[in-house]
């Protein structure tokens, strides 16, 4: 058991819940944020352990991220690791891309990470130790068709991560972006459906010819693999890794 506190946004989702479980196993007190009702969120937090809690909040609301960070600090007295994980995807050609959807993707995948980081950093720099871990994507490094908002937001998140890293480099705080390839979560399941429509393919063809074709390993990445990398970035051994965009993508971006 260590005394440290981690906040995982989107902590009830596929990757977020794996990260939360891993940090709980490593002895952190875990604060889960998501949009689900309190009963669902509290049950997930209780399953992680008695020192964990649920902080319901829509991070696309103007004061959403700052309010969640403030609530975590008020309950636990500190916040040492922020995992900006909440994200959504929309799949559509640019010329048909719904403008409101563009705004939603940018608001959650990019602006919420900015606002949460802004709220979390002062406590970390004052303590002389902290970790900002942004769950970006292989789409933060390379593009694919029909994902304009997501690719723009994730490239933006990688740039934001680098900027934060430089600003706090001498203060014991690191900021890194994890860039996963395809992980089979609810986000990807929905995307298979939407990509099938956009590419005029069947679901099976999308999995074989679009998704797994991108990853030389020809397999999905497990949420626990992403969680292990996040857990490592939160250790003291990783103190010199900062401003990095680390691919965990089965070789996708090696091409
Ligand atoms: P997921 O849909 O399983 O989980 C996302 C979680 O975010 C959900 O629990 C959802 O309720 C929550 N959420 C949605 N809107 C929210 C809001 N306004 N405020 C707070 N929480 C909100 O998706 P996932 O695959 O676990 O994705 C997690 C992160 O990993 C995302 O940032 C995603 O872009 C990134 N990512 C996923 C993959 C993949 O293949 N699954 C690959 C690369 C990157």
């Amino acid at each position: 058991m260590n005394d440290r506190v981690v906040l995982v946004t989107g902590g009830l989702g596929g990757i977020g819940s794996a990260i939360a479980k891993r940090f709980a196993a490593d002895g952190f007190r875990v604060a889960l944020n998501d949009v689900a009702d309190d009963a669902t969120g509290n049950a997930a937090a209780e399953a992680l352990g008695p020192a964990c809690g649920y902080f319901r909040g829509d991070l696309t609301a103007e004061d959403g991220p700052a309010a969640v960070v403030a609530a975590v600090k008020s309950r636990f007295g500190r916040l040492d690791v922020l995992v900006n994980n909440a994200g959504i995807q929309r799949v559509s050609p640019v010329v048909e891309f719904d403008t409101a959807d563009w705004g939603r993707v940018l608001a959650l995948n990019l602006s919420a990470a900015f606002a949460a980081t802004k709220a979390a950093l002062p406590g970390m720099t004052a303590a002389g130790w902290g970790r900002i871990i942004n769950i970006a994507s292989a789409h933060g490094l390379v593009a694919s068709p029909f994902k304009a908002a997501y690719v723009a937001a994730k490239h933006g998140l990688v740039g934001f991560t680098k900027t934060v890293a430089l600003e706090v480099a001498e203060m014991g705080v690191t900021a890194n972006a994890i860039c996963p390839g395809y992980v089979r979560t609810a986000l990807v399941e929905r995307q298979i459906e939407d990509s099938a429509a956009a590419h005029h393919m069947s679901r099976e063809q999308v999995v074989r010819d679009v998704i797994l074709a991108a990853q030389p390993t020809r397999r999905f990445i497990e949420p626990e693999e992403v969680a292990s990398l996040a857990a490592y970035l939160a250790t003291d051994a990783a103190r010199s890794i900062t401003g990095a965009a680390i691919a965990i993508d089965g070789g996708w971006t090696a091409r």
Side-chain angles (χ1 to χ4, degrees), residues 10 12-15 33-35 57-60 85-87 108 135-137 150 154 180-183 185-188 190:
L12 301 188
I15 293 174
N33 152 263
D34 213 294
V35 287
D58 178 354
L59 300 182
T60 63
N85 166 75
L108 184 60
I135 308 303
S137 169
Y150 189 86
K154 295 297 190 181
Y182 288 104
V183 186
T185 64
L187 181 142
V188 164
R190 279 190 299 271

Side-chain angles (χ1 to χ4, degrees), residues 45-141:
E46 274 163 31
L48 290 175
C52 301
Y54 180 57
F55 299 83
R56 182 182 180 190
D58 178 354
L59 300 182
T60 63
E62 195 179 332
D63 298 326
V68 168
V69 168
V72 171
K73 284 176 153 179
S74 153
R75 165 121 173 232
F76 293 117
R78 56 193 292 168
L79 175 58
D80 305 280
V81 181
L82 169 64
V83 184
N84 287 309
N85 166 75
I88 51 170
Q89 171 68 287
R90 293 289 183 272
V91 181
S92 171
V94 170
V95 291
E96 292 165 22
F97 215 98
D98 184 77
T99 303
D101 275 348
W102 171 272
R104 283 186 201 101
V105 173
L106 269 288
L108 184 60
N109 297 18
L110 181 57
S111 301
F114 154 71
T117 302
K118 180 179 175 180
L121 267 185
M124 294 180 184
T125 54
W129 197 95
R131 297 287 185 266
I132 305 291
I133 300 171
N134 293 325
I135 308 303
S137 169
H139 283 122
L141 304 171

Side-chain angles (χ1 to χ4, degrees), residues 13-16 18-19 135-139 141 150 178-189 192 207 210-230 246-254:
I15 293 174
I19 292 173
I135 308 303
S137 169
H139 283 122
L141 304 171
Y150 189 86
I178 294 179
C179 300
Y182 288 104
V183 186
R184 198 150 196 172
T185 64
L187 181 142
V188 164
E189 289 296 341
I192 292 171
V207 170
V210 178
I211 292 188
L212 295 184
Q215 297 188 168
T217 49
R218 296 283 186 267
R219 62 165 187 80
F220 283 97
I221 293 142
E222 298 301 326
E224 292 72 21
E225 297 175 63
V226 180
S228 294
L229 180 52
I246 304 170
I248 172 165
D249 63 3
W252 176 349
T253 56

